Amino acid sequence: MTPRRHVKLFPLVLLALLGGLSFWLQSLTDWLSASVGHDKDAATPDYVLEGFSATVFERSGGIKQHLTGERAWQLPNDPTIHLLAPHLRQYQRGVLHLEIIGTDGLYNPKTRISVFPREVTLLRYAPGLPTAKLVTSRLTVDTEKRTAQTPAPAVLERGASVVHTTGFTYNDATQQVQLLSKVKVTHVPTRH
């Protein structure tokens, strides 16, 4: 029902999300995957990182990704990595092009599924274009299947154009977006 032109905003932001998030989560998993053996309470984390910062560099030495957060931890016998206030910045040729800012997040390296159970904001920057901003209160990303979905209200803005929807699914392989309900689109053409 929504013209194809309006829906093009979602694939661009979600494509960047899936690519950046997949690489970030795999890097974090590799970094935190040291096995810890103990006989302690299952409710006590194996490790806790406070005020963490991790940087991935390009071969040329420039920054590719930078992840910060207030806290990261993993519980015994549970592969899920818990993140408090994760903030991912992804760069291309030294220029910031994507930010993912979450209230908190969960990532299971076995299933490669990430869940942001509370507010998450994605910002995508492109030279000569207004910043694309996606905000939702819950987001699930399957980095193996390259899909993203939410049943919650979501708002995508790029310049003066805005898409409001209650729920969406996105498949990166097919680059198809399905807006689930209560869709409202305000499209303001950009002038060249």
Side-chain angles (χ1 to χ4, degrees), residues 58-75:
E58 297 174 335
R59 289 181 190 221
S60 65
I63 295 175
K64 185 172 186 173
Q65 293 183 326
H66 183 71
L67 171 65
T68 59
E70 289 181 20
R71 184 177 300 126
W73 68 95
Q74 188 174 26
L75 299 172

Side-chain angles (χ1 to χ4, degrees), residues 6-154:
H6 303 307
V7 179
K8 286 183 181 180
L9 295 172
F10 273 98
L12 294 175
V13 173
L14 295 174
L15 174 66
L17 161 71
L18 289 172
L21 189 61
S22 178
F23 187 81
W24 162 58
L25 293 170
Q26 187 59 48
S27 298
L28 183 64
T29 300
D30 292 345
W31 182 49
L32 298 175
S33 66
S35 74
V36 179
H38 54 75
D39 293 325
K40 65 181 184 177
D41 180 15
T44 303
D46 276 336
Y47 61 82
V48 176
L49 302 173
E50 298 280 347
F52 68 90
S53 176
T55 303
V56 176
F57 294 92
E58 297 174 335
R59 289 181 190 221
S60 65
I63 295 175
K64 185 172 186 173
Q65 293 183 326
H66 183 71
L67 171 65
T68 59
E70 289 181 20
R71 184 177 300 126
W73 68 95
Q74 188 174 26
L75 299 172
N77 305 315
D78 182 357
T80 304
I81 297 168
H82 300 257
L83 301 165
L84 180 61
H87 186 164
L88 171 71
R89 294 171 189 88
Q90 187 166 319
Y91 299 82
Q92 285 184 339
R93 295 179 202 90
V95 177
L96 180 65
H97 84 99
L98 175 70
E99 287 187 89
I100 302 171
I101 306 160
T103 304
D104 52 13
L106 305 166
Y107 176 64
N108 185 319
K110 290 185 178 184
T111 63
R112 297 190 65 187
I113 293 176
S114 179
V115 176
F116 293 90
R118 294 191 296 158
E119 186 168 307
V120 60
T121 300
L122 288 79
L123 301 167
R124 184 169 188 267
Y125 309 99
L129 293 173
T131 299
K133 179 180 180 181
L134 172 68
V135 178
T136 186
S137 61
R138 179 174 178 79
L139 184 66
T140 300
V141 178
D142 186 325
T143 59
E144 185 72 28
K145 293 179 181 175
R146 295 172 41 204
T147 60
Q149 63 183 1
T150 183

Side-chain angles (χ1 to χ4, degrees), residues 129-181:
L129 293 173
T131 299
K133 179 180 180 181
L134 172 68
V135 178
T136 186
S137 61
R138 179 174 178 79
L139 184 66
T140 300
V141 178
D142 186 325
T143 59
E144 185 72 28
K145 293 179 181 175
R146 295 172 41 204
T147 60
Q149 63 183 1
T150 183
V155 178
L156 178 67
E157 302 172 3
R158 175 167 252 164
S161 296
V162 181
V163 176
H164 293 267
T165 182
T166 298
F168 69 83
T169 61
Y170 174 70
N171 184 317
D172 183 47
T174 62
Q175 294 195 355
Q176 291 183 331
V177 176
Q178 182 179 15
L179 306 176
L180 301 180
S181 68

